[in-house]
């Protein structure tokens, strides 16, 4: 189904009625799974993912995840092991992906390397943090949703980290073939837009301009990269606010319910 | 599985210290490539690239097969990347390491997904007969920066490759041997090149091109950018690692564009030299003489 | 020319047979030799050396070095391609080859990388993808259970091979067992290690490396005023330490280029001039 990009120039509205710099609805929850050390559920539009974190714990039997880490010599730092399971019903066509699917392995390795750089893994030598991600529904920006969910779950698990690793996608309104000078950058692409337009996934460290992940898989003029990257980084800042809100709301709720006492650890946290 | 070799603490510390003083072990500048050499084999489609001590051999081959049922009009184009124990004992056959998977994905995204090869032109009879072009990447020795060397070799090999000429007459497909008709080059749209940056320092503030194996072992992050000489980005992969300032990444892209243009020029020269070497008026002259009679 | 003692009778049971890898060899390059050493004529492959080549001494037993194999009763066969060197003064002979990886043999000085520490020894890697050598915690100068050096995984040590056997992992020591002194062995701090070929490392290790080994880059660099210190491991690793990072890089490049380019004396002098100019 070709995307009617000409409609954009008339009303400046995208197929789903958003403007160029609007995110889709982001809905997130933490501590959804009682059995896990940390867990989260995240929706970015119709992309829905769940994440479960176990650890830091003793390295047990390898579960086939992709590990990465800033470890280096010996086991001086915890390794971050990530598995991504894409549910068969998550997209329109039921495609079976094998265990050794290279795209999946690349996703796992990206998430693991991105988190390993911002988690304080050196505090947990000889241990493993295993992150298990489940994709329930796909509608574009998959890598971004996975990174955000994994960050939330790590926060829930109480693993010390420098800042949130937050991600979103950015695109451009015309294809590479059309050498359109006044092409607008777009924020947070859905599946349909991702198929038709050049796009990239950006993950930043918190609200800074420092880019942890930058993945572009489509052809695009180099001159348009700057605009797309700027919009993406800006989107990440918005996502960070949303995720931070989720964490604080949960904290406040737990205090009011008496699940946790308002203790020393929470004094510094702004629970207005 | 044998453990992968690893540099000692002294080596790690020294390489980092030297990079902070803008010094590299082999005396290069931070954004300088090692000498890149490209040689073509006797057959069309065989290219060997040496980048310092990194060596990659690529062979392209083609055969006629049945297309995939969901894409009856497209030819088949596969890139097979294999890191064998020949490269280092830590690589095993049939059990891909992360290096191997990421290399295969990068080549796939850079060359295949960017549409460098026009797969529709490989179709012979819709839904029945297509060319299947297969590129085999053999890594002979690994001293860092496999992606750039492998990508350059793949592009060189595909552009050097000639597939047998064919004709369709009255529903009969004829594939000609090289003696009957001169083989034809693939329908090639643009040449993408991978340029890999490695980052060092706490904030990833030191960016280095064409890292050697030791340098790759101590880096905190990397970013591979694929571009063609028209200034189109075909792929960017910064897969995690220490976060780097967005502005620095943009600078890396513009330097990478200049490097991609250099590589593109080098490949064009090499291809022209090779064509000159092969063109002795041999086959063509022979054929035309026959036609005259 | 070397002098030979009376021909031995019976089986040579006193020869410590030293087995290298049993490659089928094609050629023996026996054209060059070092000062004072016997120059044997070229020989067809895989044939025992004639007794006239084998040095004998009324008192000292014959010592066979790497690359030679004793087949009882009295034939000596080469096992690798290389250059045969006969030293009649020490009644020893061995084959010098410049390929492959290092095979440990006793009293070699080596540079190893600590892999991990076990209950009472360190596991040390001498070359990649080979079984590790062991270095006892107490094999350091004046080491006791409490005062032994603490080496982190990845640290470098300069050690001597104390035991090397075909069927066992080699053992190392950082102290002379007779005197109890370190003699320069021990942990290496700072600096950088460069990989060279095992043959080049041997040339560097010769007492008169300039005259016998034909390596003069280090002396030339020293004469140019570059301050540095080195430790050469027989396993093809050279450690270079200096206050200045650039000096280390220059020494390393000089060594690697001399080794890889097989540079002669004049070329080495030119190389050093060029590198020193680039450095300043």
């Amino acid at each position: 189904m070709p995307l009617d990009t000409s409609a954009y120039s008339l009303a400046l509205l995208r197929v789903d009625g958003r403007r160029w710099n609007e995110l889709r609805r982001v809905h997130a929850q933490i501590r959804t799974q009682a059995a896990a050390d940390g867990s989260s559920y995240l929706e970015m539009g119709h992309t829905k993912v769940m994440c479960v974190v176990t650890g830091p714990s003793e390295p047990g039997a390898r579960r086939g995840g992709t590990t990465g880490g800033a470890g280096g010599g010996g086991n001086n730092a915890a390794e971050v092991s990530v598995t991504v399971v894409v549910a068969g019903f998550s997209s329109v066509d039921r495609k079976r992906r094998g265990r050794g699917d290279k795209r999946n392995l690349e996703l796992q390795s990206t998430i693991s390397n991105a988190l390993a750089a911002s988690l304080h893994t050196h505090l947990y030598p000889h241990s493993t943090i295993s992150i298990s991600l489940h994709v329930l529904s796909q509608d574009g920006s998959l890598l971004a949703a996975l990174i955000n969910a994994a960050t939330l779950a790590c926060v829930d698990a109480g693993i010390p980290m420098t800042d949130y690793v937050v991600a979103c996608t950015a695109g451009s309104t015309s294809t590479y073939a059309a050498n359109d000078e006044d092409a607008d950058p777009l924020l947070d692409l859905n599946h349909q837009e991702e198929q038709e337009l050049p796009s990239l996934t950006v993950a930043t460290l918190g609200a800074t301009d420092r880019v942890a992940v930058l993945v572009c898989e489509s052809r695009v003029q180099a001159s348009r990269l700057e605009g797309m990257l700027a919009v993406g980084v800006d989107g990440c800042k918005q996502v960070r606010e949303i995720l931070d809100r989720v964490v604080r709301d949960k904290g406040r709720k737990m205090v009011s319910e008496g699940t946790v006492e308002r203790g020393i650890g929470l004094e510094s946290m702004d629970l207005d | 599985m044998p453990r992968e070799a690893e540099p000692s603490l002294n080596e790690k510390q020294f390489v980092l210290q030297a990079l902070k003083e803008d010094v590299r072990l082999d005396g290069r500048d931070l954004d300088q490539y090692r000498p890149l050499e490209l040689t073509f084999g006797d057959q069309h489609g065989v290219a060997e690239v040496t980048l310092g001590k990194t060596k990659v051999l690529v062979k392209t081959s083609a055969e006629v097969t049945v297309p995939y049922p969901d894409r009856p009009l497209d030819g088949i184009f596969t890139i097979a990347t294999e890191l064998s124990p020949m490269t280092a004992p830590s690589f095993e056959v049939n059990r891909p390491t992360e290096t191997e998977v990421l290399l295969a994905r990068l080549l796939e995204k850079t060359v295949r997904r960017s549409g460098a090869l026009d797969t529709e032109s490989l179709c012979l009879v819709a839904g029945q007969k297509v060319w299947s072009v297969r590129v085999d990447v053999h890594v002979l020795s690994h001293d860092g920066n496999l992606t750039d060397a492998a990508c350059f070799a793949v592009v060189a090999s595909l552009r050097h490759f000639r597939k047998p000429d064919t004709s369709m007459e009255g529903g009969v497909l004829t594939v000609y041997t090289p003696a009957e008709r001169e083989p034809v080059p693939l329908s090639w749209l643009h040449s993408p090149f991978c340029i890999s940056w490695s980052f060092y320092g706490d904030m990833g503030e030191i960016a280095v091109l064409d890292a050697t194996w030791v340098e790759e072992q101590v880096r905190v992050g990397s970013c591979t950018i694929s571009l063609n000489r028209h200034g189109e980005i075909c792929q960017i992969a910064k897969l995690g690692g220490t976060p780097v300032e967005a502005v620095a990444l943009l600078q890396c892209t513009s330097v990478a564009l200049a490097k991609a243009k250099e590589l593109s020029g080098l490949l064009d020269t090499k291809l022209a030299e090779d064509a000159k070497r092969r063109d002795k008026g041999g086959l063509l002259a022979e054929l035309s003489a026959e036609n005259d009679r | 020319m070397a002098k030979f003692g009376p021909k031995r009778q019976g089986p040579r049971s006193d020869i410590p047979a030293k087995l290298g890898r049993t490659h089928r060899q094609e050629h023996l390059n026996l054209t060059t030799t070092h000062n004072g050493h016997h120059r044997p004529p070229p020989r067809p492959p895989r044939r025992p050396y004639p007794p006239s080549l084998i040095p004998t001494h009324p008192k000292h037993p014959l010592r066979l070095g790497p690359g030679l194999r004793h087949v009882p009763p009295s034939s000596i066969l080469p096992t690798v391609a290389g250059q045969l060197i006969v030293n009649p003064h020490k009644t020893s002979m061995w084959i010098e080859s410049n390929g492959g990886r290092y095979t440990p043999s006793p009293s070699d000085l080596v540079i190893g990388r600590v892999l991990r520490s076990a209950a009472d020894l360190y596991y040390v890697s001498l070359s990649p993808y080979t079984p590790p050598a062991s270095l006892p915690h107490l094999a350091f100068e004046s080491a006791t259970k409490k005062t032994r050096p603490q080496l982190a995984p990845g640290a470098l040590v300069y050690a001597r091979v104390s035991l090397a056997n075909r069927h066992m992992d080699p053992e190392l020591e950082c102290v002379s067992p007779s005197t109890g002194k370190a003699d320069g062995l021990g942990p290496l701090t700072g600096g950088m290690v460069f990989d060279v070929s095992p043959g080049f490392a041997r040339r560097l290790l010769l007492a008169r490396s300039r005259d016998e080994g034909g390596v003069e880059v280090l002396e030339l660099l020293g004469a140019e005023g570059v301050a540095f210190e080195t430790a050469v491991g027989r396993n093809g690793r050279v450690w270079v330490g200096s206050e200045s990072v650039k000096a280390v890089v220059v020494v390393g490049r000089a060594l690697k280029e001399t080794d890889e380019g097989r540079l002669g004396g004049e070329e080495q002098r030119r190389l050093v001039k060029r590198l020193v100019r680039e450095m300043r």
Side-chain angles (χ1 to χ4, degrees), chain A residues 200 211 214 216 220-226 229, chain B residues 193-197 199 207 209 223-228 231-238 244-261:
Chain A
L200 48 83
V211 178
L214 179 61
C216 170
V220 60
Q221 249 102 43
S223 53
R224 260 191 250 160
L225 178 70
E226 189 174 349
L229 192 56
Chain B
F193 298 97
C194 284
I195 312 289
S196 297
W197 289 92
F199 300 106
L209 265 184
C223 180
T224 301
I225 306 169
S226 308
L227 302 114
N228 59 22
E232 282 169 347
I233 292 170
C234 302
Q235 172 277 126
I236 301 179
K238 185 191 182 305
V244 175
E245 287 291 335
V247 183
L249 280 177
L250 289 173
Q251 273 170 359
C252 287
T253 314
S254 56
V255 176
L257 179 58
K259 292 286 169 192
K261 283 179 180 164

Side-chain angles (χ1 to χ4, degrees), chain A residues 67 73 102-103 105-106 109-110 113-114 117 209-222 225-226, chain B residues 6 12 98 101 105 109 113-114 190 203 231-241 243-246 250 253:
Chain A
T67 58
K102 289 196 173 115
R103 212 176 85 92
L105 288 173
E106 191 190 39
S109 139
T110 306
N113 284 327
D209 283 348
R210 295 177 61 205
V211 178
V213 175
L214 179 61
V215 179
C216 170
E217 298 192 344
S218 42
R219 236 163 114 185
V220 60
Q221 249 102 43
L225 178 70
E226 189 174 349
Chain B
E6 204 184 299
K12 290 181 182 173
E98 196 178 322
V101 172
R105 275 288 292 167
K109 286 194 281 188
R113 280 189 55 132
S114 74
H190 71 113
M203 306 277 279
E232 282 169 347
I233 292 170
C234 302
Q235 172 277 126
I236 301 179
K238 185 191 182 305
L239 308 176
V244 175
E245 287 291 335
L250 289 173
T253 314

Side-chain angles (χ1 to χ4, degrees), chain C residues 181-204:
Chain C
K181 289 272 188 289
D183 297 332
L185 301 180
L188 294 168
T189 47
M192 176 70 193
V193 190
F194 297 93
D195 288 334
V196 294
S197 61
F200 187 73
R202 186 195 64 85
R203 283 162 66 195
L204 281 172

